[in-house]
Amino acid sequence: MKYQTLLGAVFVMALLLAACAPAPTAAPTSTTVPTEPPMTESPVATESPAATEPAATDTQAAETPTVGVPVTGEATINVAEVGTFGQALVDGDGRTLYLFTNDTQDSGTSACADDCAIAWPPVTSQGAPAAGTGLDATLLGTITRADGSMQVTYNGWPLYYFDEDTAPGDANGQGMGGVWFLVSPTGEMIQ
């Protein structure tokens, strides 16, 4: 019994040292996530001070990124006023989103790859995308791109950014080439 308590204390100290290691930019997300479950288990080993200190460390690490979306990788799609075009889809940062009429609605694929995807980056998500303000959540979905990433769709249309939109609300790609259009809250192209 004393051997298990000693091992538990050594384990808790090792976790505390790892959690307090000086690597503030790269380590908080990779260090915080793995140490979180063991910290929950260590109080069971009758080491309550360890439960208090890591909780403070976890709170500080969670506050460092401040935004939940980058940590989880889940995209948030909203509806906002975009220039003179009215209500259109934007991401969680207010960046305008587009559909590509060379895509086939509900096909589950994207026709924009290689150089096209450089000028028109796909809206990607590492989990189910979140339906934000003014959005019909039932129209939100994803497809798997050729590179394995998950691209967000709305009403069956893959969504894209335009690389020349530099600020929230920019719509420099609207109507470009007669194939790139803003997306309405109902999931239709805005012409």
Side-chain angles (χ1 to χ4, degrees):
M1 189 67 168
K2 290 180 183 181
Y3 180 71
Q4 289 176 337
T5 303
L6 180 60
L7 279 178
V10 169
F11 179 71
V12 169
M13 290 302 293
L15 288 176
L16 284 173
L17 289 173
C20 297
T25 53
T29 54
S30 63
T31 304
T32 303
V33 175
T35 59
E36 198 169 352
M39 288 301 140
T40 306
E41 295 174 13
S42 62
V44 176
T46 67
E47 198 71 326
S48 59
T52 305
E53 290 177 350
T57 303
D58 287 348
T59 302
Q60 291 168 352
E63 290 173 2
T64 302
T66 66
V67 180
V69 175
V71 174
T72 62
E74 295 171 356
T76 299
I77 310 300
N78 293 315
V79 174
E81 288 291 324
V82 177
T84 59
F85 302 104
Q87 297 278 303
L89 298 189
V90 298
D91 71 1
D93 295 324
R95 293 184 57 204
T96 305
L97 306 180
Y98 299 86
L99 63 76
F100 183 37
T101 59
N102 287 356
D103 284 336
T104 302
Q105 187 178 17
D106 295 316
S107 70
T109 61
S110 167
C112 182
D114 303 321
D115 289 341
C116 175
I118 293 170
W120 298 91
V123 179
T124 58
S125 186
Q126 291 181 359
T133 308
L135 197 76
D136 182 350
T138 63
L139 298 179
L140 200 55
T142 60
I143 60 171
T144 302
R145 292 182 58 82
D147 65 2
S149 64
M150 290 177 57
Q151 183 171 3
V152 178
T153 63
Y154 193 70
N155 194 28
W157 290 103
L159 299 177
Y160 304 88
Y161 296 105
F162 181 46
D163 72 343
E164 292 183 27
D165 287 348
T166 58
D170 282 355
N172 298 315
Q174 173 62 2
M176 188 164 288
V179 294
W180 294 98
F181 296 96
L182 298 173
V183 186
S184 75
T186 60
E188 303 300 323
M189 76 173 111
I190 298 173
Q191 292 185 318

